[in-house]
Amino acid sequence: MALEDGKPIETKGDKITLSFNLWVRPDNVFGTVFRIITENNKNVDLMYSVSENDRRFPILVTGDAVHPIQKEVRRETWTSASLTLDVKEGNITVLYDSTEINVNYPDLKGSQKLRFAFGYCPYEGFSLADVASVNIRDISIKRGLKEIRLWKMARHNKEICYDEISHSPASGKNTRWIIDQYITWKKIHSQQFKSSPSVAFDPTVGTFYIANNKQKLYVFHTDERITDTIQIKGGEFVANYPNQLIYLPEQHQLLSYNLNENLYSFFDPVSQSWKGTQAAVQEHDYWNNTLVYNPANSSLISFGGYGHYHYNNKLLICYPYENAPQRHLNLTNIHPRYSSSSVIVDSTLYIFGGRGCPSGRQELSPRNYYDLYAVNLLTQQANKLWELTEVPDGGNFQPSENMIYDPEKNVSTSSVRNKVAR
């Protein structure tokens, strides 16, 4: 991949710092990571070399001189790396993982233009046959203290990726965009139903539970790509409308629920029956609400939804393990909506997006919302954290019911329902 589409970047007599993150794959830990070429055809390379006992280690190459950086490379983990070129003094500082080396390279002095290439170097007379197997992201270039380029390796068009600052291209050859594995839906199962089903997921074993009546429960195993059909022997499946089924990993239980009538029914795999005895009869007021389980007090927390031509902004707290009434609270500073997504982090409920309108009435100009709220579950106080006032790049979307919190990265992600309206 040639940064700047192969064109040189001017140093303007200042220090140039190239930094990035890399993931070393085990298939070929040998050869070039990147190559820098000056206007005087001098090269600076980061490579992986091998010792007699097959130990692989990173090296800096200046011209034909080799400068070892570490004794051995770490594989299959994200590693940070940076290289600062001081064109006034002819010095290079490399920070690879936790190791720093300093190299004097007099041929670097006075360099005004630098060309950068990761992997295979396309510049005539400077190509290298061996390319190390690494994944690259977050390529940054600073001139002095100012960042002038940032290729995050995310937004791309075929072989080209554009940087976040000046929209300069990085042009690749035989590029494989890892992000595409995670932003592209792949169909692994399809099934037809006469009425809309409820679906729940057990993340511990990768199993989906699907039901739309009290006669059958379908169990789809994602690893084997097979479906078991359980003939239900008794009890009531209280979810009389879709999306009223949840799997509780903490309790190892599958629960169907009905918010309108405060009904709950657990599935017993031993007797292959639902434990609920009361059938739901009322029409539903919580279509496409967002619901999460709160392990702190074993409650279900629901927000929003749609019914009888109205959106709502109700926060419901329900107690399936207790014979207790629901707690209702209107979050008045959040516009009524459905198809939001939510997640609990400690004692805070985060609510993202959705579709609705200030009055809650369907006929009065509903719109999509792109905002994030934090609801303190101890005080029920809701605060807006941020909002997009314009339609995001890529068009209208609704985030659907579920959001996932990643404690390691301290980020949340949400599934997306595109351009759906009721």
Short mmCIF file of all heavy atoms in Angstrom, two decimals, residues 230-236 265-276:
data_model
loop_
_atom_site.label_atom_id
_atom_site.label_comp_id
_atom_site.label_asym_id
_atom_site.label_seq_id
_atom_site.Cartn_x
_atom_site.Cartn_y
_atom_site.Cartn_z
N ILE A 230 -38.17 -28.43 19.38
CA ILE A 230 -38.69 -29.00 20.63
C ILE A 230 -40.21 -28.90 20.62
O ILE A 230 -40.76 -27.80 20.47
CB ILE A 230 -38.10 -28.26 21.85
CG1 ILE A 230 -36.57 -28.39 21.86
CG2 ILE A 230 -38.70 -28.80 23.14
CD1 ILE A 230 -35.90 -27.59 22.97
N GLN A 231 -40.89 -30.01 20.77
CA GLN A 231 -42.34 -30.02 20.89
C GLN A 231 -42.70 -29.71 22.33
O GLN A 231 -42.40 -30.48 23.24
CB GLN A 231 -42.90 -31.39 20.48
CG GLN A 231 -42.56 -31.81 19.06
CD GLN A 231 -43.24 -30.96 18.01
OE1 GLN A 231 -44.31 -30.37 18.25
NE2 GLN A 231 -42.63 -30.88 16.82
N ILE A 232 -43.32 -28.56 22.55
CA ILE A 232 -43.62 -28.11 23.91
C ILE A 232 -44.74 -28.96 24.51
O ILE A 232 -45.78 -29.21 23.88
CB ILE A 232 -44.02 -26.62 23.91
CG1 ILE A 232 -42.89 -25.79 23.29
CG2 ILE A 232 -44.30 -26.15 25.34
CD1 ILE A 232 -41.57 -25.89 23.97
N LYS A 233 -44.55 -29.38 25.75
CA LYS A 233 -45.49 -30.30 26.40
C LYS A 233 -46.48 -29.61 27.33
O LYS A 233 -47.37 -30.28 27.88
CB LYS A 233 -44.71 -31.36 27.16
CG LYS A 233 -43.83 -32.23 26.25
CD LYS A 233 -43.03 -33.24 27.03
CE LYS A 233 -42.17 -34.09 26.09
NZ LYS A 233 -41.34 -35.08 26.82
N GLY A 234 -46.33 -28.30 27.54
CA GLY A 234 -47.29 -27.63 28.41
C GLY A 234 -46.85 -26.23 28.76
O GLY A 234 -45.75 -25.77 28.43
N GLY A 235 -47.76 -25.50 29.44
CA GLY A 235 -47.47 -24.14 29.87
C GLY A 235 -47.80 -23.11 28.81
O GLY A 235 -48.16 -23.43 27.67
N GLU A 236 -47.69 -21.85 29.20
CA GLU A 236 -48.03 -20.73 28.33
C GLU A 236 -46.78 -19.98 27.90
O GLU A 236 -45.94 -19.63 28.73
CB GLU A 236 -48.99 -19.76 29.03
CG GLU A 236 -50.38 -20.32 29.29
CD GLU A 236 -51.17 -20.51 28.01
OE1 GLU A 236 -50.80 -19.93 26.96
OE2 GLU A 236 -52.18 -21.24 28.05
N SER A 265 -42.80 -16.17 31.78
CA SER A 265 -42.84 -17.62 31.69
C SER A 265 -41.45 -18.13 31.33
O SER A 265 -40.91 -17.80 30.27
CB SER A 265 -43.86 -18.06 30.63
OG SER A 265 -43.92 -19.47 30.56
N PHE A 266 -40.86 -18.93 32.21
CA PHE A 266 -39.54 -19.52 31.98
C PHE A 266 -39.69 -20.88 31.30
O PHE A 266 -40.65 -21.61 31.56
CB PHE A 266 -38.79 -19.69 33.30
CG PHE A 266 -38.41 -18.40 33.96
CD1 PHE A 266 -39.21 -17.84 34.94
CD2 PHE A 266 -37.25 -17.73 33.59
CE1 PHE A 266 -38.86 -16.65 35.56
CE2 PHE A 266 -36.90 -16.54 34.20
CZ PHE A 266 -37.70 -16.00 35.17
N PHE A 267 -38.73 -21.20 30.46
CA PHE A 267 -38.74 -22.50 29.81
C PHE A 267 -37.95 -23.49 30.64
O PHE A 267 -36.82 -23.22 31.06
CB PHE A 267 -38.14 -22.40 28.41
CG PHE A 267 -38.11 -23.73 27.69
CD1 PHE A 267 -39.29 -24.30 27.23
CD2 PHE A 267 -36.91 -24.39 27.48
CE1 PHE A 267 -39.28 -25.52 26.58
CE2 PHE A 267 -36.89 -25.62 26.83
CZ PHE A 267 -38.08 -26.18 26.38
N ASP A 268 -38.56 -24.65 30.88
CA ASP A 268 -37.91 -25.73 31.62
C ASP A 268 -37.44 -26.79 30.62
O ASP A 268 -38.27 -27.52 30.05
CB ASP A 268 -38.89 -26.35 32.62
CG ASP A 268 -38.24 -27.45 33.45
OD1 ASP A 268 -37.03 -27.69 33.28
OD2 ASP A 268 -38.96 -28.08 34.24
N PRO A 269 -36.12 -26.91 30.37
CA PRO A 269 -35.65 -27.88 29.37
C PRO A 269 -35.85 -29.33 29.80
O PRO A 269 -35.88 -30.23 28.95
CB PRO A 269 -34.16 -27.53 29.23
CG PRO A 269 -33.79 -26.87 30.51
CD PRO A 269 -35.02 -26.14 30.97
N VAL A 270 -35.98 -29.57 31.09
CA VAL A 270 -36.15 -30.95 31.56
C VAL A 270 -37.55 -31.46 31.21
O VAL A 270 -37.72 -32.54 30.61
CB VAL A 270 -35.91 -31.05 33.09
CG1 VAL A 270 -36.16 -32.47 33.57
CG2 VAL A 270 -34.47 -30.62 33.42
N SER A 271 -38.56 -30.67 31.57
CA SER A 271 -39.94 -31.07 31.26
C SER A 271 -40.38 -30.61 29.88
O SER A 271 -41.47 -30.96 29.43
CB SER A 271 -40.89 -30.50 32.32
OG SER A 271 -40.88 -29.07 32.28
N GLN A 272 -39.53 -29.81 29.20
CA GLN A 272 -39.83 -29.25 27.88
C GLN A 272 -41.19 -28.54 27.88
O GLN A 272 -42.05 -28.78 27.03
CB GLN A 272 -39.79 -30.35 26.81
CG GLN A 272 -38.41 -30.95 26.64
CD GLN A 272 -38.31 -31.91 25.47
OE1 GLN A 272 -39.32 -32.42 24.99
NE2 GLN A 272 -37.09 -32.15 25.00
N SER A 273 -41.31 -27.66 28.85
CA SER A 273 -42.56 -26.92 29.00
C SER A 273 -42.28 -25.51 29.50
O SER A 273 -41.22 -25.24 30.08
CB SER A 273 -43.51 -27.64 29.96
OG SER A 273 -42.92 -27.72 31.25
N TRP A 274 -43.25 -24.62 29.25
CA TRP A 274 -43.19 -23.26 29.80
C TRP A 274 -43.83 -23.27 31.18
O TRP A 274 -44.84 -23.95 31.41
CB TRP A 274 -43.92 -22.28 28.89
CG TRP A 274 -43.25 -22.08 27.56
CD1 TRP A 274 -43.60 -22.64 26.38
CD2 TRP A 274 -42.11 -21.25 27.30
NE1 TRP A 274 -42.75 -22.23 25.37
CE2 TRP A 274 -41.82 -21.37 25.91
CE3 TRP A 274 -41.30 -20.43 28.08
CZ2 TRP A 274 -40.76 -20.69 25.31
CZ3 TRP A 274 -40.24 -19.77 27.48
CH2 TRP A 274 -39.98 -19.89 26.11
N LYS A 275 -43.26 -22.51 32.12
CA LYS A 275 -43.74 -22.51 33.49
C LYS A 275 -44.91 -21.56 33.71
O LYS A 275 -45.58 -21.63 34.73
CB LYS A 275 -42.60 -22.14 34.45
CG LYS A 275 -41.53 -23.22 34.56
CD LYS A 275 -42.13 -24.55 35.01
CE LYS A 275 -41.09 -25.62 35.19
NZ LYS A 275 -41.69 -26.89 35.61
N GLY A 276 -45.17 -20.65 32.75
CA GLY A 276 -46.30 -19.75 32.90
C GLY A 276 -47.62 -20.47 32.71
O GLY A 276 -47.71 -21.44 31.94
#
